[in-house]
Amino acid sequence: MRSTIATALTLLASPALAQPLTVYAPDYFASEWGPGPAIEAAFEASCACEIEYVTGDVLPRLRLEGTRTRADVVIGLNTDDAEAARQTGLFAPHNVDVRGLTMPVDWTDATFVPFNWGHTAFVYDATQIDPPESFAALLDAPDDLRIAIQDPRTSVSGLALALWMHKVFGEDATEAWAALAPKVVTVTKGWSEAYGMFTEGEVDMVLSYTTSPAYHIIAEGDETKKAAIFPEGHYVMVETAGQIATTDQPELAQAFLDFILTEEFQSIIPEGNWSLPARLDPAKMPEGFAKLDLPETALIYDSAEAEALRDTVVAEFEAGLGR
């Protein structure tokens, strides 16, 4: 597969295709600590082309621009936003062979290609607290347990928590939020602010991912940060990419989508995004990832289900936390 893609990319390297491939991406993706720069370098070396990242809130930008968008490819949309993106009518089928994915959920989406995934989880410092052994035990924990979460109205991880609670507690989700509320000391707009409070010791637990401790293990040599594992299961977030149907560089855009599931791209994900690749032999994962605590049960709503539930789970959050 890699040789086929490399040949196709070489054929694309002609003066007529000197225009950069414009890729819309979230801020984190193209930042110096995100996976974007390494992916850009690897793809450009293969195609003798250029990638231009345009960063920011991807979906609102697409809705505003419509068919006038400059994007050839969009990357960083997660499964909980995918249906809203699909409804813009801007995307073409991905045409990528998705067999052999190393994800705990089946993938049948013909529009968006998965590139990484992770379980939502509450992360804690093992030197400071004994973690609750279940989601139900978290709700019953003493109210002096300090937790930072993200707002489901502004944050993809916050929305994932709201969907997770709805998946676990169903019609009792509002009551579950009410039980969690006394322990929530802050609701931040995004993940970074909440995680910063955790690393500064301002909270005992933070809504994050089961892979977050990998950063502390590998980059800091610190094995005290862990994810609390709940037998009820953990909600899975999958990040994706898609091709804009009106791109004037469809061959190059398709080549980029095909590049996503290659080992070269996927091997950048673990330490570039501190998450799990969509398709990579587990034997090729960094050693530190073998030390992670991971759940046995993966929970997810498909993109249509997640979009249909968005207003419901946000209302549960608002009603439960407001009591």
Side-chain angles (χ1 to χ4, degrees):
M1 175 61 78
R2 292 184 64 190
S3 61
T4 302
I5 292 172
T7 301
L9 294 175
T10 301
L11 292 174
L12 292 171
S14 67
L17 295 174
Q19 181 180 350
L21 183 74
T22 301
V23 178
Y24 282 12
D27 291 328
Y28 86 85
F29 186 90
S31 69
E32 61 180 327
W33 58 84
I39 289 167
E40 177 183 0
F43 185 68
E44 289 180 347
S46 300
C47 68
C49 62
E50 292 184 4
I51 285 179
E52 177 189 38
Y53 290 123
V54 176
T55 61
D57 293 333
V58 172
L59 185 53
R61 181 189 292 269
L62 284 177
R63 283 171 164 161
L64 181 64
E65 296 177 343
T67 56
R68 297 177 291 104
T69 184
R70 292 175 50 218
D72 299 303
V73 169
V74 174
I75 195 164
L77 291 168
N78 69 72
T79 37
D80 300 332
D81 280 334
E83 188 61 24
R86 193 191 329 274
Q87 290 173 4
T88 65
L90 295 174
F91 288 89
H94 63 65
N95 297 318
V96 176
D97 183 353
V98 296
R99 289 176 293 181
L101 296 178
T102 50
M103 302 197 302
V105 294
D106 295 331
W107 194 259
T108 58
D109 195 317
T111 304
F112 297 105
V113 183
F115 71 91
N116 76 175
W117 65 279
H119 307 91
T120 305
F122 290 94
V123 173
Y124 66 98
D125 184 334
T127 67
Q128 300 299 315
I129 66 167
D130 293 324
E133 296 183 352
S134 68
F135 214 141
L138 175 65
L139 303 185
D140 290 337
D143 288 348
D144 60 358
L145 181 68
R146 302 169 301 164
I147 303 175
I149 64 172
Q150 296 94 57
D151 192 326
R153 297 164 296 192
T154 58
S155 163
V156 293
S157 49
L159 179 59
L161 173 60
L163 289 164
W164 184 15
M165 292 187 69
H166 188 85
K167 192 78 170 181
V168 171
F169 299 106
E171 294 181 353
D172 296 326
T174 298
E175 294 302 321
W177 275 111
L180 185 66
K183 293 170 269 291
V184 176
V185 297
T186 187
V187 180
T188 61
K189 289 185 177 180
W191 173 89
S192 298
E193 182 181 355
Y195 206 82
M197 293 180 68
F198 170 68
T199 57
E200 291 298 321
E202 298 177 31
V203 294
D204 301 308
M205 303 185 81
V206 62
L207 174 66
S208 192
Y209 304 97
T210 54
T211 51
S212 298
Y215 169 78
H216 300 286
I217 294 170
I218 295 172
E220 300 177 339
D222 176 4
E223 299 188 17
T224 66
K225 309 300 188 296
K226 297 182 179 296
I229 302 302
F230 298 157
E232 294 96 331
H234 288 244
Y235 194 75
V236 170
M237 282 181 54
V238 181
E239 285 192 295
T240 71
Q243 178 182 169
I244 297 297
T246 54
T247 175
D248 57 1
Q249 304 190 87
E251 294 85 2
L252 188 56
Q254 184 64 54
F256 184 78
L257 290 188
D258 290 338
F259 182 64
I260 285 174
L261 290 180
T262 63
E263 183 176 322
E264 189 170 12
F265 181 113
Q266 292 291 299
S267 63
I268 293 170
I269 293 300
E271 294 184 47
N273 208 30
W274 301 106
S275 59
L276 298 168
R279 187 167 70 187
L280 187 67
D281 183 344
K284 296 182 178 179
M285 290 288 289
E287 291 183 4
F289 277 74
K291 298 179 179 179
L292 296 178
D293 296 318
L294 297 176
E296 295 184 359
T297 302
L299 308 175
I300 193 170
Y301 290 112
D302 66 30
S303 58
E305 292 172 327
E307 184 60 25
L309 283 169
R310 180 187 296 265
D311 290 345
T312 296
V313 301
V314 168
E316 290 168 348
F317 158 80
E318 293 174 336
L321 222 61
R323 290 185 180 178

